Amino acid sequence: MLHWIESALSPEQQKPFTRLSHHACILAAAGSGKTRTLVHLLAADLAAGIPPSGIIAFTFTEKAGEELLARTYMLTKQYLPNLSLEGMYVGTIHAWCLQYLLAQPDFYSLAAVDELHVDALASRLYDTLHLDKAYGQPYPRAIDRFLADLEIFYNENLTFEQVPSEIKPSIVAFFNILQNNRLVSFGGMVRHAIKHLEQYGPISGLQSLYVDEYQDVNPAQVTLIKAMLPDDGKVVVVGDDLQCIYNWRGSDVKRILEFSNEFENASMFRLSINYRARPDLVKLVNNVAEKVELRDTEKTMESGRESADYRVVHWLSSDSDDEQVASLVDIVERFAAKGVPWNRIAVLLRSVVGWGRPFVDALGAKGIPVQCPILSRGGEFINEFLLPVFDWLRSEHKEPRNEMDEADAEEQANNLWATAERWIQTANAETQFWGGINEWLDAIEEKRNDAYDVRGWLYGFLDRCGIRIAPTDHNLMVGLGIASQIIRSVEEIHRRRLERQQRRTARGVMSEVYFALLRNQNDFGESVPIDTEADGILITTVHQAKGLEWPIVIIPMLSNRRFPVRSRSHNTSFPDEIAGRYGTTLEDERRLFYVAVTRARERLFLLDPVQHRDDARSIFLRELEDTQVINATGVSEIDPTVWQLKKEELERTDPAPLRMALSDLLIYVECPYQYGLRRVVAIQPSIGEELGYGRGLHELIRRRFETIEGWAPEILGQQVNQHVNLPYMSEEGEARSRQAIENRIKKLDELGVFAGQVESELPIEVIMNEGIIHGIIDSIQINTDGSVAVRDWKSNIHDNFVSRYERQLQFYTYALRLRGRKVSVADMVDVTASVEQNRLVVHEVDIRESVIRKLVNTLNESLSGIQKRSFTARPNPVSCACCDVYRICSERYANDST
């Protein structure tokens, strides 16, 4: 083992490196350094000569994948500086499956749909799938049941014959509709990849496959892993049996405990030293773990830290919910008085929507900032403004026939205005509100095509009402992000042309948006990624807190039916032998409690509101009390030293370097606030009918470059039909666009641009001072003297975007020069102008060293700004003109002509 790996790891972390077995399972306790171990395992493979293309590492989330890859880059830069990691995959299973499928001829032009899209699709296809008959429920009541059944079908990788007869026609029809329309769900990605691998064989050249959070994989994913692996490939899985909390997604703790039964010649290793928590916390955690029935009994957590001189675990029992809330506020205020930042305190609940409201309200009443968008301004905005507006837009407003009708209409209008009024921030508020909503309603009633642009109309309406997002209004920002993602899913599904499916009317789409917001805002709102650095006390679910940590953790509502919740069955159409573990049991709740208590580093507070009702208290508290790990106390009785934390105790532990797409970073360069709105809180911009045109043109250009001989007219037509998909257009519009792309490829061929030696779709990764930047170069032309010309292809070049395009090409030049390649020129081609002028129209970019050095400094400063969460707005005519969300930005350039 290389000395730089050995010196960075503890003795127990080193053991997997010297194993003799082919495969390995690492059971890692919470806080035991599994990410550090995994990073060094990847580096060890690279140091041993395994090519990056021979290594795949699966993570549970995209964020975890970015962190793992970034840490690996930084480590190899230090010890293996001449090694490129190009070709190594680190990311989620679903992202790998999609990447794999898109490279196969059978799956060209495949479009991925997420869980919100699938929900919207089930709603659109309710009648087609005969869900009313299958479940005996009218629209939209059967959607949740159908989606639960569909998830089991995918998770368990079942055949159609294994699906219960009453729902089989619906499952089969849904599967076929997806396939016929080039759509693929997350579950479908895995299923199609398995089928293709089983037909054509495993991944050639794959030597090392790593799977993080292996306790959370489902049977389909295990089948995929086996299908991917060649005979000589090795699998190393990492996880914690005690943190298996996604049984409702198909996970099974037996997978990790019985790893050697599925993979022969496998060793088991254990990481048991917790470097995160104080010894008293570890003692409590071990007591929780001992009550878990199905677990690894050989792994007992030990603390790698020194004991504190005071109690770090506190149990506060109150007489009522109100007293419990008051105790929590008291705890927060005492820490704040000692200088503890708000965002170093997390309140973890079994359900935020179910039991978070009293805490949000009480903290807010004290002027304490709270990060809990679904129960704060963000959720209020959805319920008080968006839902009533969409309810109004989905309803028919006929001319009153008599005084009674007129009175009813007036009452409805008054009710809408009453709930919306407090959000309007403009002069002549009522006039602007009704003027805007009536214009929108006219577009719907006139059946205009632009009425399908729901987000476009919404953002224009919000602008007219003066509702714009301010940098200080974080909860409203996140709330609009939640709503816009739900609206996007409905809009994209209902605007899309589906084979043999009639598109809903614009009013029907408004109805779909309304019901989707009702159905999904709570669950989706609870599942949005946590912003650990946003200012405010975080109130979130235990599920969302998994993988994170805070100096101070408060877990309230520890009473029966709140935590743990009552055991319940899987509530699906499948028999128990298939779906039994999809329910919720006390064992599952105990694992969840284990996750909750392991999030704390310095202080843990356990709160219950049933002081004099032992039988109503959470069983978890009763078990801990029985073993004398905790004793009830009051806030006033706690040692004053508990409230003060040292600076090093409040700092983030070993923050991960950033890994960012160049396109995202260039948005930050233009305006950090736009980056925050788009990439941090995920506000979704409106889309045009032409979505996919530029991607289709790029795809055809790349494929033409890869073809030695020119395309005959019939071949060109086949390529265009296969790779250009514009589902938001009418069939006539798509036909015109395909013809336009075909004409452009033909003209470019006539202009001789495909002659010579070209490399296309070249990925780049550059390690900067403050992180890693990645991107893909459209193409580079190899000159006869060995130098290269960097070229980007644009369907059109818009003046407002020229600066962004130039920076992009300048950075590509920098990346290539770091690789030792001589770049003679960099330019972008305006394809449309080239066709119109019958000559190659190019925009040449300044790639002098002084210009590129300035850009590199700017990008390093931008990476540092993102790391420090500096999202100050930089409004100006150019940046605002190319901003996707300027209409809802309170900081935009004052000249509204932008």
Side-chain angles (χ1 to χ4, degrees), residues 718-737:
Q718 290 172 8
Q719 291 286 331
V720 169
N721 288 331
Q722 188 171 20
H723 299 291
V724 178
N725 186 29
L726 299 166
Y728 301 114
M729 284 186 175
S730 64
E731 291 182 359
E732 296 79 9
E734 183 175 51
R736 287 194 299 270
S737 295

Side-chain angles (χ1 to χ4, degrees), residues 60-61 215-217 243-252 542-546 581-582:
F60 193 67
T61 64
Q215 77 279 354
D216 292 326
V217 298
Q243 296 190 65
C244 181
I245 59 172
Y246 292 105
N247 57 297
W248 46 276
R249 290 181 179 172
S251 65
D252 185 349
V542 182
H543 281 100
Q544 283 301 97
K546 186 173 182 291
R581 71 181 187 284
Y582 284 78

